[in-house]
Amino acid sequence: MATGVGTGKGTGTGASRRRFDSGRVCLDLVATGTVTSGAGELLDGPERLADWLVAARLVPEGTALTALDDTWVTRFRQLRAGVDRLMTAELCGRGADAALDRVNALAAGAPPGLRAVRGRGGTLVRALSAEPDCGALLAAVARDAVELLTDPAARAVLRRCEGDACRRLYLDTSRGRRRRWCSSEVCGNRERVARHRRRVAAGGTGA
């Protein structure tokens, strides 16, 4: 049953808008799952999915999504699992043919059509040519995954966070390509605290 979800400012909790920015929309989707210790499911209903679609710039703010329902949530979670398996296989040097077939099938669909319209003050802003269906939005994310996997430069900087109990994926665009964590402030700080505690325990005294 459709919920008639919109993407205006009052929609959802806003939590998905403060999403982890991985550098690619397909990796951002993976980050909506339970990928860190204590983190919950971000795509826990139609409104949260609508919120994420805007935050990920897959649909412009204010786009009507009247057909968005729980089946959309299920399908996006399925794509998320497939992308996660594919990227994990790529990092580990092994295949994931079933996931690849699924992502390829979704990527073959047509993504939402775009057009430029006049916004406030006459500035051109991005809009969709029609209300998107679930398949079109899935196609946009799946195509991003295909493009990442087939781009040697992007594959070379694909990383998984080294933090304990964190499985976030990201593109390492740091100088020297030596970034270890999805977030220095979160996972990086946890690792530094844990390292300090190990040193204290080994020395038997406080710092």
Side-chain angles (χ1 to χ4, degrees):
M1 179 178 178
T3 59
V5 175
T7 59
K9 291 184 179 180
T11 300
T13 64
S16 294
R17 291 175 189 271
R18 299 187 295 274
R19 78 193 193 289
F20 164 65
D21 185 1
S22 68
R24 295 296 288 251
V25 69
C26 63
L27 304 184
D28 289 349
L29 178 62
V30 173
T32 65
T34 308
V35 292
T36 61
S37 178
E41 169 66 65
L42 289 183
L43 303 185
D44 59 2
E47 288 191 353
R48 294 291 290 274
L49 175 56
D51 194 52
W52 182 82
L53 290 170
V54 174
R57 295 182 55 79
L58 288 168
V59 300
E61 185 110 23
T63 301
L65 297 172
T66 58
L68 198 162
D69 59 12
D70 289 330
T71 64
W72 286 43
V73 177
T74 298
R75 294 175 69 185
F76 267 89
R77 287 181 180 179
Q78 289 171 342
L79 174 58
R80 181 178 67 193
V83 172
D84 193 6
R85 282 194 291 271
L86 274 178
M87 300 303 166
T88 299
E90 186 67 21
L91 288 170
C92 296
R94 61 174 186 262
D97 290 344
L100 181 60
D101 289 344
R102 176 61 177 163
V103 170
N104 279 336
L106 291 172
L114 294 177
R115 61 192 180 107
V117 299
R118 296 291 177 186
R120 293 190 181 95
T123 302
L124 287 172
V125 296
R126 186 173 61 101
L128 301 185
S129 57
E131 182 179 340
D133 60 23
C134 187
L137 294 170
L138 290 169
V141 180
R143 285 187 177 206
D144 184 63
V146 170
E147 289 170 1
L148 191 162
L149 290 167
T150 57
D151 179 352
R155 285 204 319 270
V157 295
L158 177 64
R159 304 283 188 271
R160 190 179 293 281
C161 180
E162 295 181 21
D164 290 340
C166 183
R167 300 185 64 256
R168 280 176 171 167
L169 296 158
Y170 60 89
L171 297 188
D172 181 7
T173 57
S174 66
R175 181 175 297 180
R177 305 294 186 264
R178 290 182 291 184
R179 177 178 167 188
R180 296 179 54 201
W181 305 295
C182 62
S183 168
S184 179
E185 293 77 15
V186 181
C187 286
N189 189 56
R190 287 175 181 168
E191 176 61 24
R192 287 187 287 270
V193 169
R195 192 163 55 229
H196 169 73
R197 288 174 175 170
R198 288 193 294 269
R199 285 199 301 267
V200 170
T205 61

